[in-house]
Every structure is written in structure tokens, then in C-alpha cells.
């Protein structure tokens, strides 16, 4: 059929994600809106080239605050 009846018509590629948390669900404990995060959604499918992604809390990690250690 190819019209997106049971899945998106156009698959969005990509598996690695990085960015800022826009919003969180009520049960999320580890992140807040505005946190810089990164993750890999390979095991969850694909779609990291999208403008926004929705993933479980376990798929993300906080970015280190100091990326230039002395």
C-alpha cells in the first residue's frame, strides 16, 4: 500500500540524537526542560534526523558540563 496506514509513509533516518529537552512526561525524574542531552535510538527504530523526537528516559544521557578537562 505504501500510504502510511500502519507506519509512516516516509521513514526518517538516523539513530544518534543530541539537543535540548523541550518537555518531559510526568514520570520523568532524570531530566528537565532545557537540559542538554544525547543518546542513541538505534534499538528503538530510527528518526533522529527529525526536528523533534520522543524517546524513553532510558535512551538519553546528560551532556557533560565541562567538555575541556585540564
Amino acid at each position: 500500500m505504501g500510504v502510511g496506514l500502519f507506519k509512516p509513509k516516509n521513514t526518517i533516518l538516523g539513530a544518534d540524537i543530541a539537543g535540548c529537552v523541550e518537555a518531559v512526561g510526568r514520570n520523568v525524574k532524570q531530566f528537565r526542560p532545557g537540559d542538554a542531552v544525547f543518546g542513541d535510538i538505534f534499538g528503538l527504530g530510527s528518526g533522529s534526523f527529525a526536528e523533534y523526537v520522543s524517546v524513553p528516559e532510558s535512551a538519553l544521557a546528560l551532556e557533560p558540563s565541562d567538555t575541556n578537562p585540564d
Side-chain angles (χ1 to χ4, degrees):
M1 286 182 60
V3 294
L5 186 58
F6 295 107
K7 63 180 184 176
K9 179 180 177 183
N10 299 317
T11 302
I12 300 174
L13 301 175
D16 55 329
I17 54 178
C20 236
V21 174
E22 183 72 23
V24 297
R26 72 180 114 173
N27 294 327
V28 173
K29 305 285 188 241
Q30 187 176 355
F31 304 108
R32 294 179 169 174
D35 284 346
V37 295
F38 69 98
D40 183 355
I41 59 171
F42 181 74
L44 302 171
S46 63
S48 70
F49 292 170
E51 188 172 351
Y52 291 94
V53 295
S54 177
V55 297
E57 184 177 16
S58 61
L60 299 175
L62 287 170
E63 286 187 7
S65 59
D66 184 10
T67 58
N68 187 13
D70 292 327

